[in-house]
Amino acid sequence: MASFSQDSYSQHDKMYVATDCIIFGFDEGRIKLLLFKRRVAPFEGDWSLIGSIVKLEEDVEVSAKRVLEEITGLQNVFMEQLKAYGAANRDPGYRCVSIGQYALIRINDYDRKLVEKHGAHWHDIEEVPDLVLDHNQMVKDAQERLKRKARYQPLGFELLPEKFTIPQLQQLYEAIYQKELDARNFRKKVLSHNVLIKLEEKDKTSSRRGAFLYKFDHKTYKKLMKSGYNFEIS
Amino acid sequence: MASFSQDSYSQHDKMYVATDCIIFGFDEGRIKLLLFKRRVAPFEGDWSLIGSIVKLEEDVEVSAKRVLEEITGLQNVFMEQLKAYGAANRDPGYRCVSIGQYALIRINDYDRKLVEKHGAHWHDIEEVPDLVLDHNQMVKDAQERLKRKARYQPLGFELLPEKFTIPQLQQLYEAIYQKELDARNFRKKVLSHNVLIKLEEKDKTSSRRGAFLYKFDHKTYKKLMKSGYNFEIS
DNA sequence: ACAAAAGTGTTTGCGTTACACCCATGG
DNA sequence: CCATGGGTGTAACGCAAACACTTTTGT
């Protein structure tokens, strides 16, 4: 019954509801996390996730997307709710429930000036500093979610540029799973899904020979999804 | 940064935070859901999940467990957060974010009088009536979560009495997956995990011959978990 | 010519699936 | 004695894992 208890509303407590964004990127073969250095008290100088307090008339999801856009300049980003963090004492200041949301962004798309202006920096996911409040827990939970969900949903493509090579895609999945993969089996597996479109161009930034670029075929993927298809990359 | 925006707290909005419990049981070979018939306006006579508004000094998880205990008399129940529901207009009365939590209970353990007193009834999961607000969505999400999670975590045992037979366990998994399973393969699979203890007794309620009772071996399971074990029942 | 990454097939083994008959018991 | 659900083993198949060499090209 939630909000419609038999008691009247007025007897109940109100509190702040916040969102915190766990923003993942992928660069130089590593998963990155966008963190924010606080410039004011409390916790001045400490690292934290980027978040905000939800407004009365604002959907929680909208609130998170608003912050993400303010910081990165990006719209239409993949974002999904992780869970709510609701310990009574999680914030020593005021009672505040925070809803963690993780986002996957293409690391070359974001607006560098905006990010800098907000005091945000990319950190390697393997070297996350101590964060304020329960933010380290949020990061850990988000990383596990990504790891699990990437197995059966093509999340990876959200982190790569539109055009990418198979070796790049493999690097990404190796970073997500924290595990090395066999190049031949990997290529076989991803191509078997028939959701990659091979382009004529090659990317020569990482080898003399160059590797063919591919695009993710969103249309075909959506069709497959509807017919009960199961994407999987081990 | 969540609660520590650069603005002061006082500029921000407060709202109600509720919990709603999706309470699953298992009886007569079917998954059941505990619903609550509202006895007061608004929505008098409508079905809804059981929930409450989180108190200022109360953890969200504690709030949900409190309600669950008030209604069923049960403690130490398996309960896990599903997600937060935060649409601005989800509740036409007041702004209220609700955190859905699903619980698995042994259907013979609960306190029938308490449940009755609160106007709660068990419904077959396949015949859930229209519920207030976004509660049908919560149920749907919880059912999907159960379906997915039961594949790699031994959730099923939370829904069965301490002693159960293999055919009972199979019935349960068939109900969760909404799919028939092969009895021989099922037995082979669950026994292969070595987390079931065969008892001397038989249950004769469902056949003349009777079926051996088993217990779930929590200790062994925990040990296995620590060594990176993966429980799976297809 | 050589270094460095891209690309390509086949074999092996394990786990999942499919499948049919005897057993035990109460009525 | 028969009806009902409980309990058992094996064969076929498919998918995942392991594995080595050739190609390309810039320096």
Side-chain angles (χ1 to χ4, degrees):
Chain A
M1 23 75 69
S3 40
F4 291 105
S5 155
Q6 298 186 222
D7 316 313
S8 84
Y9 277 85
S10 54
Q11 294 173 23
H12 295 294
D13 300 323
K14 290 187 180 184
M15 54 189 79
Y16 295 114
V17 174
T19 57
D20 284 296
C21 299
I22 302 98
I23 304 173
F24 291 109
F26 177 66
D27 200 20
E28 299 167 338
R30 322 265 304 180
I31 304 284
K32 308 281 181 170
L33 189 61
L34 190 59
L35 296 173
F36 173 89
K37 191 160 203 161
R38 291 189 50 74
R39 293 199 270 231
V40 295
F43 300 128
E44 185 175 349
D46 286 0
W47 291 103
S48 108
L49 294 173
I50 287 145
S52 96
I53 298 193
V54 178
K55 297 176 186 171
L56 252 195
E57 71 287 357
E58 186 181 53
D59 293 345
V60 168
E61 282 69 24
V62 170
S63 179
K65 294 220 164 176
R66 170 174 56 79
V67 180
L68 186 64
E69 189 182 344
E70 279 169 19
I71 305 287
T72 64
L74 297 178
Q75 283 178 305
N76 300 322
V77 164
F78 174 91
M79 182 176 248
E80 189 175 78
Q81 190 190 132
L82 193 54
K83 57 170 285 199
Y85 292 79
N89 63 357
R90 61 176 290 280
D91 184 327
Y94 294 80
R95 180 65 199 270
C96 175
V97 169
S98 179
I99 297 169
Q101 325 241 3
Y102 69 103
L104 307 180
I105 81 173
R106 303 180 216 284
I107 212 158
N108 290 310
D109 287 0
Y110 70 91
D111 184 328
R112 277 148 219 273
K113 278 183 193 159
L114 258 184
V115 164
E116 232 169 77
K117 182 183 140 203
H118 286 90
H121 296 273
W122 288 101
H123 289 248
D124 195 297
I125 190 70
E126 307 292 345
E127 297 161 18
V128 175
D130 281 343
L131 306 177
V132 301
L133 310 181
D134 48 7
H135 289 192
N136 285 99
Q137 185 63 42
M138 292 187 188
V139 170
K140 200 179 149 207
D141 292 346
Q143 207 186 341
E144 270 170 33
R145 176 84 139 251
L146 179 59
K147 209 165 164 176
R148 179 169 290 283
K149 198 145 189 181
R151 291 200 176 273
Y152 59 91
Q153 237 180 275
L155 297 186
F157 305 97
E158 305 290 341
L159 288 162
L160 288 174
E162 205 199 343
K163 299 173 183 182
F164 52 85
T165 68
I166 306 276
Q168 271 167 27
L169 186 64
Q170 182 178 343
Q171 269 200 319
L172 169 58
Y173 274 93
E174 288 179 336
I176 293 174
Y177 300 153
Q178 298 168 295
K179 185 185 162 191
E180 295 198 348
L181 301 172
D182 179 274
R184 278 169 295 191
N185 293 335
F186 181 82
R187 180 181 294 267
K188 212 185 306 168
K189 190 79 166 269
V190 295
L191 291 177
S192 74
H193 291 298
N194 294 326
V195 289
L196 296 192
I197 299 167
K198 187 174 183 174
L199 306 175
E200 293 306 310
E201 317 159 60
K202 280 191 168 186
D203 173 297
K204 298 215 170 188
T205 56
S206 69
S207 78
R208 310 195 195 288
R209 180 181 176 179
F212 278 105
L213 287 163
Y214 289 78
K215 276 199 306 188
F216 183 69
D217 185 348
H218 291 273
K219 278 188 193 167
T220 306
Y221 176 70
K222 272 179 199 160
K223 273 186 215 158
L224 287 170
M225 281 304 281
K226 281 182 189 163
S227 51
Y229 167 73
N230 199 18
F231 181 89
E232 233 175 271
I233 295 183
S234 61
Chain B
M1 24 76 72
S3 41
F4 291 105
S5 156
Q6 296 186 225
D7 315 315
S8 84
Y9 277 84
S10 53
Q11 293 173 24
H12 295 294
D13 300 322
K14 291 187 179 184
M15 53 188 81
Y16 296 115
V17 174
T19 58
D20 285 296
C21 299
I22 301 98
I23 305 174
F24 291 110
F26 177 66
D27 199 21
E28 300 168 336
R30 322 265 306 180
I31 304 285
K32 308 281 180 172
L33 189 61
L34 191 59
L35 296 174
F36 172 90
K37 190 158 203 163
R38 291 190 50 74
R39 293 200 270 230
V40 294
F43 300 129
E44 185 176 348
D46 286 1
W47 291 101
S48 110
L49 293 173
I50 287 145
S52 94
I53 297 193
V54 178
K55 296 176 186 170
L56 252 194
E57 71 286 357
E58 186 181 54
D59 293 345
V60 168
E61 282 69 25
V62 169
S63 179
K65 294 219 164 177
R66 170 173 58 77
V67 180
L68 187 63
E69 189 182 345
E70 280 169 18
I71 305 286
T72 65
L74 297 176
Q75 283 179 306
N76 301 322
V77 164
F78 174 92
M79 184 176 247
E80 189 175 77
Q81 189 191 132
L82 193 55
K83 58 170 283 197
Y85 292 79
N89 63 356
R90 62 176 287 280
D91 183 327
Y94 293 82
R95 179 66 199 268
C96 175
V97 169
S98 179
I99 298 169
Q101 326 241 3
Y102 69 103
L104 305 180
I105 81 172
R106 302 181 216 284
I107 211 158
N108 291 310
D109 288 0
Y110 71 91
D111 184 326
R112 278 149 217 275
K113 279 183 194 159
L114 259 184
V115 164
E116 234 168 78
K117 182 183 140 204
H118 286 89
H121 295 272
W122 288 101
H123 288 248
D124 194 297
I125 191 69
E126 306 292 347
E127 296 160 19
V128 175
D130 281 343
L131 307 176
V132 302
L133 308 182
D134 47 7
H135 289 193
N136 284 99
Q137 185 64 43
M138 293 187 187
V139 170
K140 199 180 150 204
D141 292 347
Q143 206 186 343
E144 269 170 33
R145 175 84 139 251
L146 179 61
K147 209 166 165 177
R148 179 170 291 283
K149 199 147 189 179
R151 291 199 176 275
Y152 58 91
Q153 236 179 276
L155 297 186
F157 305 99
E158 305 291 340
L159 288 163
L160 288 174
E162 207 199 344
K163 300 173 182 181
F164 52 85
T165 67
I166 306 275
Q168 271 167 28
L169 186 65
Q170 182 178 341
Q171 269 200 320
L172 170 59
Y173 275 92
E174 288 179 334
I176 293 173
Y177 299 154
Q178 298 168 297
K179 185 185 162 189
E180 294 197 351
L181 301 172
D182 179 276
R184 277 168 297 190
N185 294 336
F186 182 81
R187 181 180 293 269
K188 211 187 306 169
K189 190 79 165 274
V190 295
L191 291 176
S192 74
H193 290 300
N194 294 326
V195 290
L196 295 191
I197 299 169
K198 186 174 184 174
L199 306 175
E200 294 304 312
E201 317 160 60
K202 280 190 167 187
D203 172 296
K204 298 214 171 189
T205 55
S206 68
S207 78
R208 310 195 195 290
R209 181 181 176 180
F212 279 105
L213 287 162
Y214 288 79
K215 277 200 307 188
F216 183 69
D217 186 348
H218 291 272
K219 278 188 192 168
T220 305
Y221 176 69
K222 272 179 198 157
K223 273 186 214 159
L224 286 171
M225 281 304 282
K226 281 181 187 163
S227 51
Y229 166 74
N230 198 18
F231 180 89
E232 233 175 271
I233 295 183
S234 63

